[in-house]
Amino acid sequence: MNPCRLLAPCPRLALALTLAALSSPASAIFHNGGFETGDFTGWTLEGGVNPGLVGAPPFTGASVQITPGAAGPANVVGAGADPRAPTIVLPRVGQNTARLNDENGGALVTRLRQVDTVTAADIDPLDGLPHIRFAFAPVLDDPSHAPHEQPYFYVVVRNLADNSVLFEQFAYSGQAGVQFLSGAGSWKYLEFQDVDAVLPATALGQQVELTVIAADCSLGGHGGYVYVDGFGSAPVGPGGGNGTTPTAVPATDPLALGLLGLITGWIGWRAQRRSAGNA
Ligand SMILES: [Ca+2]
Ligand SMILES: [Ca+2]
């Protein structure tokens, strides 16, 4: 909303900049984190072929192998139903949600990546620490292959300064302990899961790399994909899609709200003084 319509007389430039800094999540982490451009602007799409995971469960990022190749399938979707995952509601937030990989086989891997810097705008005032938040919903065929051959989903946030893992999550289709829902046929899925990764205070000012991977089964006959949305430091917002707008952390900051009240009060006081002076 244009602050000039909220605050009359129109605020001075400095005031406008202050308000923008307090209320805008634009400087928060990840460009186009909600895919609201309708495409993958700001992101790098890569991929290749899945030769299978290395080692035995529990798998980690070290288990992931990708034979280099063309970027895997990916698209941005709006409102609609998923025939393989009937209770998933799309889009997750805003008007668009990304879908990495697809229902077809081919042992393809889709990898989505973005590097960005953690700033003070990513600090959640509730705990004073930077956060990375997003929502994901994997939809994976479950052909009951060996675990290392199953379709899988993997997300990791690394600190590029020392390559340390700040957060990672891995699940292969049918993995024990993961509460998969039964979809159409042999498909398994999760409804949207909200992730809130708390970063250490030392991450401030450092570059982090977010990577999301969705892989078909390594034998070539079965597909899998993952919906992702709402990448940023702010809470992803209420579910259900339908144009829901993400909630910005700074907007709920009591300090910001208090300052906004003070500024609004000051403008009202000046307007009163002016009209009193003109009378
Ligand atoms: Ca979105
Ligand atoms: Ca596929």
Side-chain angles (χ1 to χ4, degrees):
M1 188 181 292
N2 182 351
C4 290
R5 291 167 62 190
L6 261 182
L7 308 171
C10 190
R12 294 175 181 182
L13 180 60
L15 176 57
L17 287 175
T18 306
L19 280 175
L22 288 172
S23 61
S24 170
S27 59
I29 200 160
F30 299 128
H31 179 59
N32 193 27
F35 309 97
E36 294 304 299
T37 59
D39 58 22
F40 288 97
T41 298
W43 294 91
T44 301
L45 270 172
E46 299 163 322
V49 171
N50 176 19
L53 295 158
V54 168
F59 298 119
T60 67
S63 316
V64 171
Q65 304 291 307
I66 301 174
T67 305
N75 61 327
V76 172
V77 302
D82 186 318
R84 285 161 290 278
T87 63
I88 284 182
V89 180
L90 295 165
R92 168 62 183 82
V93 67
Q95 306 294 329
N96 298 297
T97 292
R99 189 176 87 144
L100 308 180
N101 213 324
D102 64 13
E103 67 273 25
N104 300 313
L108 298 180
V109 177
T110 301
R111 178 167 60 193
L112 183 73
R113 217 160 43 79
Q114 188 172 144
V115 173
D116 205 350
T117 302
V118 180
T119 71
D122 303 310
I123 292 177
D124 189 324
L126 291 179
D127 61 9
L129 292 171
H131 285 235
I132 290 177
R133 293 174 163 112
F134 63 97
F136 74 96
V139 183
L140 306 169
D141 202 353
D142 181 7
S144 298
H145 297 328
H148 70 280
E149 298 166 337
Q150 291 277 75
Y152 69 87
F153 159 81
Y154 176 63
V155 60
V156 61
V157 179
R158 287 179 185 280
N159 184 336
L160 287 185
D162 57 7
N163 211 33
S164 60
V165 172
L166 299 173
F167 169 84
E168 70 176 347
Q169 190 153 3
F170 185 100
Y172 63 83
S173 188
Q175 180 174 326
V178 180
Q179 304 297 312
F180 280 107
L181 302 173
S182 292
S186 54
W187 286 79
K188 302 245 171 91
Y189 71 101
L190 297 176
E191 291 183 340
F192 275 103
Q193 313 285 307
D194 288 352
V195 173
D196 179 1
V198 185
L199 306 187
T202 52
L204 262 185
Q206 304 217 307
Q207 278 198 319
V208 296
E209 181 184 60
L210 166 74
T211 305
V212 186
I213 291 172
D216 297 335
C217 88
S218 64
L219 301 185
H222 304 90
Y225 50 93
V226 61
Y227 294 106
V228 286
D229 205 352
F231 288 105
S233 49
V236 178
N242 304 320
T244 310
T245 305
T247 308
V249 168
T252 59
D253 183 348
L255 174 66
L257 290 176
L259 278 174
L260 180 60
L262 281 176
I263 291 164
T264 311
W266 176 76
I267 287 167
W269 175 75
R270 266 179 63 97
Q272 272 189 348
R273 242 183 121 215
R274 274 194 184 153
S275 61
N278 291 341

